[in-house]
Amino acid sequence: MISVFGSANMDLVAYVTEAPKRGETITGHRFRTVPGGKGANQAIAAARAGAEVAFLGAVGDDGFGAEMRATLTEAGVDVRGLRQVPGPSGIAHIVVDDHGGNSIIVVPGANGTVTGPCGDDLAAIAASQALLLQLELPMEAVVAAAQAAQVSGVPVILTPAPAQPLPEELLDAVTMIVPNEHEAAAITGVTGPDAALDALLERVQEAVITLGSEGALYGSRAGERLRMPAVTVQAVDTTAAGDTFVGALAVARSEGSGVEDALRFASAAAALSVQREGASTSMPTRPEIEDSLSG
């Protein structure tokens, strides 16, 4: 089982020809709401990629919260650890341009009430083969969850987004960190993925830097280095491509795949997701990923 301790947001997505500049008002050509949040996205991605998944987090007592719970359940995610709190659920305002690029504003809502894993959460984490974490919950909660996994000997995979300073007590409990190129630079203060990877490996055991259309770069303290090229596709919407990559990567690693095979599996999943619109709605199933790899 894979546990995901993280955020659940309703994505409010506006589609535009070009993203607006500061002070500019433009007309979009479409709008939709899609259940998302980096935590929920990774949970759904892992479940669709073939894992048993438990999601631990919070939603509000509004309609968005009910819809997000239903979406996770429909994807096969165990939501017994998804608590309901008074007030609004988290939301993400997303602008997607016609080139597939996006910009995102997150308002935490119920996610901001999470202070750490409770008793049942701790049991789920201890029973897991991996714990996935992101930074859309309060830092104290993320640290507490990582330390709980560390005590139980459970590998921790951290997506450091949105990028922010990372306390040493968190990094001490992290097995693998998976930033994109911009997050890696922000965290390390180093430009260039190879140099940023070196800097990350001074703080964690393994790191994967995702590079969009340039693929992904992996390194470990044991000295292993690997660059995985991306699958060439026409991107429609890159929202949640990184979450799809991480969810699929965790599944492959938990099944015992080696690094190269796990990265190839995750890259195939991410490539399928960017060819579809939305966050949770874009994530491929296990048969789709396997068909892509065999093709």
Side-chain angles (χ1 to χ4, degrees):
M1 181 178 75
I2 293 172
S3 290
V4 182
F5 184 78
S7 59
N9 295 321
M10 183 60 71
D11 292 345
L12 312 178
V13 189
Y15 295 89
V16 299
T17 301
E18 297 286 346
K21 302 176 180 63
R22 183 174 181 178
E24 182 182 18
T25 299
I26 64 173
T27 300
H29 47 73
R30 195 155 55 92
F31 173 80
R32 65 189 301 208
T33 59
V34 184
K38 296 194 73 62
N41 287 343
Q42 291 184 6
I44 291 171
R48 289 187 176 164
E52 179 184 349
V53 180
F55 182 69
L56 315 171
V59 293
D61 56 3
D62 54 6
F64 286 164
E67 186 174 348
M68 286 186 284
R69 184 182 297 275
T71 298
L72 285 159
T73 300
E74 184 179 352
V77 177
D78 183 342
V79 294
R80 287 176 291 180
L82 179 59
R83 66 201 75 169
Q84 179 179 295
V85 300
S89 298
I91 65 99
H93 180 273
I94 303 175
V95 176
V96 180
D97 64 37
D98 284 350
H99 308 290
N102 65 70
S103 58
I104 305 173
I105 300 171
V106 175
V107 181
N111 298 303
T113 69
V114 180
T115 58
C118 63
D120 289 343
D121 297 340
L122 294 171
I125 291 170
S128 301
Q129 294 169 290
L131 172 66
L132 305 189
L133 298 173
Q134 320 78 36
L135 300 180
E136 289 182 343
L137 296 182
M139 183 61 76
E140 63 179 299
V142 178
V143 171
Q147 291 177 331
Q150 184 182 37
V151 168
S152 297
V154 175
V156 176
I157 300 176
L158 172 66
T159 303
Q164 56 190 281
L166 302 178
E168 288 304 319
E169 59 264 34
L170 173 59
L171 292 171
D172 287 345
V174 169
T175 308
M176 175 186 285
I177 191 168
V178 190
N180 63 28
E181 187 172 5
H182 305 294
E183 292 154 359
I187 293 165
T188 63
V190 176
T191 56
D194 289 285
L197 185 66
D198 288 334
L200 288 170
L201 291 174
E202 293 177 0
R203 307 177 74 185
V204 296
Q205 300 172 38
E206 295 180 277
V208 179
I209 300 178
T210 58
L211 304 171
S213 61
E214 298 301 313
L217 181 64
Y218 168 85
S220 73
R221 281 185 177 173
E224 187 174 4
R225 288 286 179 116
L226 178 65
R227 184 178 290 270
M228 177 60 61
V231 181
T232 302
V233 296
Q234 180 62 49
V236 172
D237 183 354
T238 58
T239 305
D243 295 329
T244 303
F245 181 95
V246 171
L249 179 66
V251 171
R253 289 298 293 268
S254 69
E255 293 176 349
S257 294
V259 172
E260 185 171 359
D261 286 342
L263 289 173
R264 185 175 291 110
F265 185 83
S267 297
L272 288 167
S273 76
V274 302
Q275 297 176 71
R276 305 166 180 172
E277 293 180 347
S280 60
T281 53
S282 71
M283 294 167 178
T285 63
R286 180 64 171 254
E288 289 173 327
I289 299 170
E290 291 177 342
D291 284 348
S292 176
L293 289 169
S294 65

